[in-house]
């Protein structure tokens, strides 16, 4: 579904190669599509919601309702995706202040809030340093988030460490750059979203979101970058060459990072290793109940290794 919708945007783009690279530049996301876990599901639901949002009037209540329902379905899978709904709410009200007088709008949001209470409770109760549903237990300083552009640059999974600095510097420049039209809208959405992602954990004394926990929110970044390139005018050869070179390198990095037999997230696990363990004596008991744990059990299932 993601590739189908992305392809429609690529075809309609005035910079189709730039768009193609933008939608495939996050190998970490593709990795989790392969694992078929909740992060990839919520990523796609959020992407579908934003796709619907850009293809319909920003001012209509129906557009808000449909988009927020996509986000809520994602929250059922990963409860902290409720932040996507609050982001949309803030953005929609800011653009349409008179909507607060609309009874249907208020009733709908009251219903969403009521149905979200169990999800909020689940997130708060189960998120501690020992159970890092909302982040990682390790303490990381603020420089970490500056270096990796709030952690999103890490999802590009670069092979060259200095590349993270260049990507983050480029994205920070985009934040400071004056934006117009749809690029401006998605930049605002992205900023509102990440402000909450940092402020809420600090208020509640919870871990900050890192790595795969950021995957659901990558669509906000992708659409922002997509519309940046849509508005970009390459009126000289140096700009064109630079943009094409950077995107080509990111595309090559993404393709080279993907391996059907190995996981970049759990690099110690491979099909061959699991087969050897499964065929060895008493391996199933070890994998499920001993040192392997539920992650080994998961890989046994998706690789069709029967004991």
């Amino acid at each position: 579904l993601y590739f189908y919708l992305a392809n429609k945007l690529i075809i309609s783009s005035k910079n189709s190669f730039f768009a193609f690279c933008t939608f495939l530049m996050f190998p970490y996301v593709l990795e989790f599509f392969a694992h078929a876990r909740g992060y990839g599901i919520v990523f796609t639901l959020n992407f579908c919601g934003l796709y619907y949002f850009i293809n319909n009037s920003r001012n209509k209540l129906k557009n808000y309702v449909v988009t927020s329902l996509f986000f809520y379905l994602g929250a059922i899978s990963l409860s902290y995706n409720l932040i996507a709904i609050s982001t949309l709410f803030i953005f929609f009200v800011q653009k349409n202040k008179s909507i607060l007088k609309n009874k249907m709008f208020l009733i709908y949001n009251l219903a969403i809030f009521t149905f979200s209470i169990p999800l909020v409770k689940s997130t708060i109760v189960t998120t501690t340093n020992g159970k890092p549903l909302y982040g990682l237990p390790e303490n990381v300083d603020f420089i970490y988030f500056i270096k990796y552009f709030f952690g999103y640059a890490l999802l590009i999974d670069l092979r060259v460490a200095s590349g993270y600095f260049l990507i983050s510097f480029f994205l920070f420049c985009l934040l400071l750059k004056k934006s117009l039209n749809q690029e401006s809208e998605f930049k605002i959405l992205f900023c509102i979203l990440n402000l909450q992602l940092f402020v809420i954990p600090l208020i509640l004394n919870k871990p900050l979101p890192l790595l795969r926990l950021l995957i659901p929110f990558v669509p906000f970044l992708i659409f922002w970058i997509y519309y940046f390139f849509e508005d970009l005018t390459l009126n000289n050869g140096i700009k064109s060459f630079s943009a094409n070179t950077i995107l080509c390198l990111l595309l090559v990095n993404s393709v080279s990072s993907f391996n059907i037999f190995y996981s970049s997230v759990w690099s110690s696990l491979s099909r061959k290793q699991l087969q050897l363990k499964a065929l060895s004596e008493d391996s199933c008991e070890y994998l499920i109940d001993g040192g392997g744990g539920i992650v080994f059990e998961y890989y046994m299932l998706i690789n069709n290794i029967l004991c």
Side-chain angles (χ1 to χ4, degrees), residues 109-130:
N109 280 285
L110 180 61
I112 284 289
F113 175 78
T114 303
F115 287 117
S116 298
I117 291 174
L119 300 177
V120 173
K121 182 180 178 182
S122 171
T123 304
I124 293 174
V125 170
T126 60
T127 305
T128 65
N129 282 331

Side-chain angles (χ1 to χ4, degrees), residues 165-273:
F165 172 78
L166 294 174
I167 294 297
S168 297
F169 179 75
F170 170 74
L171 292 173
F172 278 119
C173 287
L174 256 62
L175 269 182
L176 299 175
K177 169 186 170 291
K178 183 179 179 180
S179 302
L180 301 172
N181 305 323
Q182 289 172 312
E183 182 200 348
S184 176
E185 291 183 344
F186 278 99
K187 179 193 287 190
I188 293 170
L189 280 167
F190 182 76
C191 290
I192 294 172
L193 176 82
N194 284 281
L195 182 64
Q196 294 179 88
L197 281 175
F198 281 82
V199 170
I200 293 175
L202 290 174
I203 293 173
L204 299 177
N205 193 27
K206 301 295 182 182
L208 291 169
L210 296 170
L211 296 172
R212 63 178 182 265
L213 291 120
L214 291 173
I215 288 176
F217 310 118
V218 172
F220 290 86
L221 178 60
I222 286 178
F223 273 108
W224 170 32
I225 296 173
Y226 170 79
Y227 282 110
F228 163 75
F229 285 124
E230 284 297 284
D231 294 338
L232 185 65
T233 301
L234 299 175
N235 49 17
N236 64 59
I238 296 177
K239 284 185 179 180
S240 179
F241 176 78
S242 301
N244 277 285
T245 300
I246 292 172
L247 287 168
C248 280
L249 289 173
L250 288 174
L251 185 61
V252 169
N253 176 74
S254 180
V255 173
S256 64
S257 297
F258 196 79
N259 189 317
I260 196 171
F261 297 109
Y262 289 87
S263 164
S264 62
V265 180
W266 294 288
S267 57
S268 62
L269 301 175
S270 72
R271 182 179 175 84
K272 184 176 180 180
Q273 289 171 318

Side-chain angles (χ1 to χ4, degrees), residues 85-101:
I85 301 177
S86 61
T87 297
L88 181 67
F89 175 83
I90 295 169
F91 178 81
F92 192 78
V93 170
Q94 184 266 332
K95 284 182 66 70
N96 312 279
K97 294 181 175 62
S98 61
I99 196 70
L100 291 173
K101 299 177 183 178

Side-chain angles (χ1 to χ4, degrees), residues 7 16 33 52 55 64 70 73 76 80 108 150 170 175 205 222 232 235 258 260 269 274 281 304:
N7 185 57
S16 56
F33 281 164
Y52 183 89
N55 283 286
Y64 173 84
F70 273 113
L73 288 174
I76 293 175
Y80 63 90
Y108 171 76
F150 310 119
F170 170 74
L175 269 182
N205 193 27
I222 286 178
L232 185 65
N235 49 17
F258 196 79
I260 196 171
L269 301 175
L274 284 168
E281 186 177 358
N304 196 30

